Amino acid sequence: MKTKALFVIISLVIASCGSIRPNNASNYQQDLITPEETKSFVLTESSIFDEPMLGIALKYDNKQYPTDIINVYIYPIDSISWDDTDETISIEMGDIIDEIDMAIEQGHYKSRSDETIENFSFNTGQKVFTGKKSSFTLINKYDIEYFSNSYVFIDKDKYIKFRTSFDSQATIEWNGDAAVKEILPEIVVPGESEYMKDLRTEHQEAITQDLIKLLFQGSNVTKSNTE
């Protein structure tokens, strides 16, 4: 999409001003709250990316099934507006599926089944969590089948993405619902950073300039046609 590509370009231009993470980007180490441990899962890895648009990656282990892969990604929404959260999440889920297909093209996996995408919601107490879930199977380069899911939610100006995969030879056939329902309610994301405010302002200005140019070109065409 043109607007998304423009947003990424502006992000790269701003980020190129320094080789380390900008000081005005979200401070995940200080302001992000994530569970160290739940009933069934324990946090084992945490990585903050220098590129602010990539956010932070978390890895959880299943206490009962250690071969399970449970990854959580928290990162800013690459848009100036996400009032239509269903559409925003749907677009992001499409990008996630594209990323998986790219991993297959690069040889990280052999193939996958067709995905099934559905709405996914649950509540804990008075809070309702609403997002989307995709389900499919993956075949890795060793011909082992994995049951795999992706989940996307929005909180404040951030995506919260879960990627779960389960080795069919080492576990029962199930999905990542339990992990999402245990971990997500305990995540508190930071609000919009100054970095993202500046980035969204730059993006809005770029869109406005493009619109002005189009209007100017249109008025010139109309003028020339009437002369």
Side-chain angles (χ1 to χ4, degrees), residues 164-204:
T164 62
S165 295
F166 311 100
D167 183 344
S168 63
Q169 296 181 354
T171 187
I172 58 175
E173 183 174 357
W174 68 329
N175 55 38
D177 291 5
V180 173
K181 291 178 179 179
E182 281 193 34
I183 297 169
L184 180 60
E186 296 192 40
I187 294 176
V188 180
V189 304
E192 183 183 40
S193 67
E194 289 300 318
Y195 177 89
M196 288 307 301
K197 282 184 181 179
D198 292 344
L199 184 58
R200 291 185 175 113
T201 298
E202 293 267 0
H203 189 203
Q204 180 63 70

Side-chain angles (χ1 to χ4, degrees), residues 3 11-12 22 64-65 68 70 75 78 85 104 111 120-121 123 127-128 145 147 155 158 184 190 198 201 216-217 219:
T3 55
S11 172
L12 292 173
Q64 187 174 1
Y65 298 101
D68 290 356
I70 303 158
Y75 51 100
D78 52 355
T85 56
I104 292 173
S111 62
F120 182 84
S121 64
N123 63 76
K127 186 166 184 180
V128 178
E145 181 182 51
F147 311 123
D155 190 3
K158 307 286 193 299
L184 180 60
D198 292 344
T201 298
F216 182 73
Q217 291 170 359
S219 64

Side-chain angles (χ1 to χ4, degrees), residues 5 14 24 26 63 77 81 87-88 92 107 109 122-123 153 163 182:
I14 293 178
N24 62 347
S26 291
K63 297 176 185 178
I77 297 170
S81 174
E87 180 183 11
T88 303
E92 187 63 17
Y109 303 99
F122 65 99
N123 63 76
F153 303 87
R163 282 284 295 113
E182 281 193 34

Side-chain angles (χ1 to χ4, degrees), residues 49-89:
F49 298 98
D50 286 341
E51 166 52 56
M53 290 301 299
L54 298 179
I56 183 172
L58 309 168
K59 181 179 181 297
Y60 283 87
D61 284 351
N62 188 329
K63 297 176 185 178
Q64 187 174 1
Y65 298 101
T67 60
D68 290 356
I69 300 171
I70 303 158
N71 294 318
V72 184
Y73 304 90
I74 300 166
Y75 51 100
I77 297 170
D78 52 355
S79 178
I80 58 176
S81 174
W82 49 95
D83 294 335
D84 189 338
T85 56
D86 186 74
E87 180 183 11
T88 303
I89 290 174

